[in-house]
Amino acid sequence: MITVIIIVGIALTIAISLILLYNGMVNGKNMVDEAWSGISVQLKRRHDLIPVLVNSVKGYMTHEQETLTRVAELRAQAVSVSSSGSLQTIANAENQLMGALRSLFAVSENYPELRASENFMQLQEQLSLLEDEIQLSRRYYNGTARDQNNRVLQFPGNLVARAFGFGKIEYFELADPAEATVPEVKF
C-alpha cells in the first residue's frame, strides 16, 4: 500500500511539474506575442507618419526628389513585409527605412525655411518620440524573447519544449551595429 502511495505521489509530482513547465512556456509565448504586437503598433504609427512628413518636405526640397522617393519606396517595402512574419525581414526593412529617414533629416539641414516650418518641427518631434517608443518596444520584446528562450533551452524545460513544439525566439536586432549610433541632426 505504501509503495502504491509513493508511486502515485511521484507520478503526481511529475505530472504537476510538466503542467507547470508547459503553462510557463505558453505564458512566455503569449508574452512574446504581446511584445511583438507592441512593436507592430509602433511601426504602423511610423509608417503612417512618414507620408505626412514627406509631403510637408516636398515643397521645400524640390532638388532632393531622389531622397524623398527613396524614403517613400522604403516605407512601402516596410509596410509590405510587416505582415510576412519573418522577424529578420521586418528588421532589415525597418533598419533601411530608418537610414533613409536619417538621410532626409540630414538633407533638410540645407533648407533653412524648412527648419523654420512649425509643421516640419512638429513632425520631426513626433518621429523622434516614436523612435524612442519603438526602441522601448524592442527592448521589451527582446526581454520576453530572452525569458522564453531560457525556458525553452534550460533543463527540464527543453524536454517539454521539444515535446510540445516550442522553439527558440529570434531577437529584434539592428542589422548593422553602426546604426546604434545616434545621428547628429542640426536645425
Side-chain angles (χ1 to χ4, degrees):
M1 181 69 173
I2 291 183
T3 306
V4 171
I5 292 174
I6 291 173
I7 292 173
V8 168
I10 291 172
L12 192 58
T13 301
I14 291 172
I16 290 172
S17 296
L18 289 174
I19 290 169
L20 292 174
L21 284 170
Y22 176 80
N23 287 343
M25 287 185 200
V26 169
N27 182 45
K29 182 176 180 335
N30 289 338
M31 294 287 289
V32 168
D33 291 345
E34 175 193 358
W36 179 250
S37 174
I39 289 175
S40 295
V41 166
Q42 300 307 327
L43 294 178
K44 169 108 173 68
R45 287 179 59 205
R46 180 203 279 167
H47 297 161
D48 292 346
L49 182 62
I50 289 172
V52 177
L53 179 67
V54 168
N55 285 332
S56 74
V57 171
K58 265 184 187 174
Y60 294 99
M61 300 175 111
T62 55
H63 303 296
E64 307 295 343
Q65 195 61 36
E66 183 179 319
T67 302
L68 295 171
T69 302
R70 180 79 176 138
V71 169
E73 288 171 353
L74 288 172
R75 178 210 173 258
Q77 179 184 349
V79 169
S80 71
V81 301
S82 66
S83 61
S84 72
S86 168
L87 182 62
Q88 192 59 43
T89 304
I90 293 169
N92 287 339
E94 292 299 332
N95 289 332
Q96 288 178 5
L97 178 58
M98 192 60 225
L101 287 172
R102 286 180 181 152
S103 297
L104 176 67
F105 286 127
V107 167
S108 71
E109 290 179 23
N110 299 326
Y111 298 87
E113 63 276 0
L114 174 61
R115 293 191 315 254
S117 166
E118 185 178 325
N119 188 33
F120 178 74
M121 295 305 287
Q122 287 175 347
L123 290 169
Q124 182 188 10
E125 185 177 325
Q126 286 178 1
L127 189 60
S128 177
L129 292 171
L130 193 52
E131 291 303 321
D132 290 342
E133 290 179 27
I134 290 171
Q135 178 188 30
L136 291 172
S137 295
R138 278 183 173 183
R139 284 184 187 172
Y140 178 69
Y141 172 84
N142 285 339
T144 58
R146 177 202 59 229
D147 293 344
Q148 180 67 355
N149 287 341
N150 287 341
R151 283 185 208 90
V152 167
L153 297 174
Q154 293 175 347
F155 183 81
N158 61 346
L159 301 175
V160 174
R162 208 173 307 136
F164 290 102
F166 291 98
K168 188 174 183 221
I169 306 293
E170 286 183 63
Y171 291 109
F172 195 168
E173 299 176 313
L174 294 173
D176 179 6
E179 292 177 6
T181 59
V182 177
E184 184 177 331
V185 179
K186 297 178 186 174
F187 287 101

